[in-house]
Amino acid sequence: MYNKNLTDSDELSRKSKALYNSKDWENIKVMAFERDNHLCQICLRKSRNTKANLVHHIIYVKSDYEKALDLDNLMCVCSACHNKIHSKDEKEVFAGEEKQKNVRVIKV
């Protein structure tokens, strides 16, 4: 679906490691948590308020490194949902929600 033809190389591993240790990543994570009200976006779709503790790349860094710091490519999730995303096929996790992936909660 979103993450076909993943590339895996030493160069990408070095770039990813540098990304996750960068100030830019720290800044964009803060922005994502604030945008999503620190709530897991998957749980929220199931009417559950669960605190998010991770920021997930919708399109993986291995699929498109250019989207690594794109706020629209990030979603806040709890550890349980993040594990489900990575342990199952994405189609199962996001079943029927293709149009809702970019829906965000707005603080009032």
Side-chain angles (χ1 to χ4, degrees):
M1 184 167 76
Y2 284 95
N3 295 299
K4 294 185 179 190
N5 302 320
L6 298 178
T7 59
D8 195 14
S9 69
D10 290 339
E11 179 185 351
L12 184 59
S13 295
R14 284 190 297 275
K15 284 173 70 174
S16 295
K17 187 174 182 178
L19 167 74
Y20 292 121
N21 289 320
S22 73
K23 187 69 174 166
D24 289 338
W25 175 245
E26 289 303 315
N27 291 337
I28 200 79
K29 277 192 337 183
V30 168
M31 292 170 64
F33 279 122
E34 288 176 357
R35 178 201 60 204
D36 292 347
N37 294 320
H38 298 268
L39 294 173
C40 174
Q41 298 302 292
I42 295 174
C43 288
L44 196 59
R45 292 176 188 157
K46 297 173 184 172
S47 299
R48 295 189 310 239
N49 289 328
T50 307
K51 184 174 178 159
N53 57 350
L54 297 167
V55 176
H56 172 70
H57 285 94
I58 298 166
I59 298 174
Y60 298 162
V61 174
K62 287 183 176 184
S63 286
D64 188 350
Y65 187 83
E66 297 300 314
K67 294 186 183 285
L69 295 173
D70 180 352
L71 187 59
D72 290 333
N73 186 44
L74 302 175
M75 67 186 304
C76 296
V77 294
C78 65
S79 294
C81 287
H82 195 247
N83 289 340
K84 286 177 190 174
I85 291 168
H86 287 288
S87 68
K88 296 181 180 180
D89 188 300
E90 286 181 335
K91 288 180 184 176
E92 186 177 335
V93 175
F94 293 109
E97 297 186 16
E98 290 307 315
K99 293 181 181 177
Q100 295 179 14
K101 271 192 166 183
N102 291 325
V103 174
R104 300 294 180 210
V105 176
I106 300 171
K107 286 184 179 180
V108 181

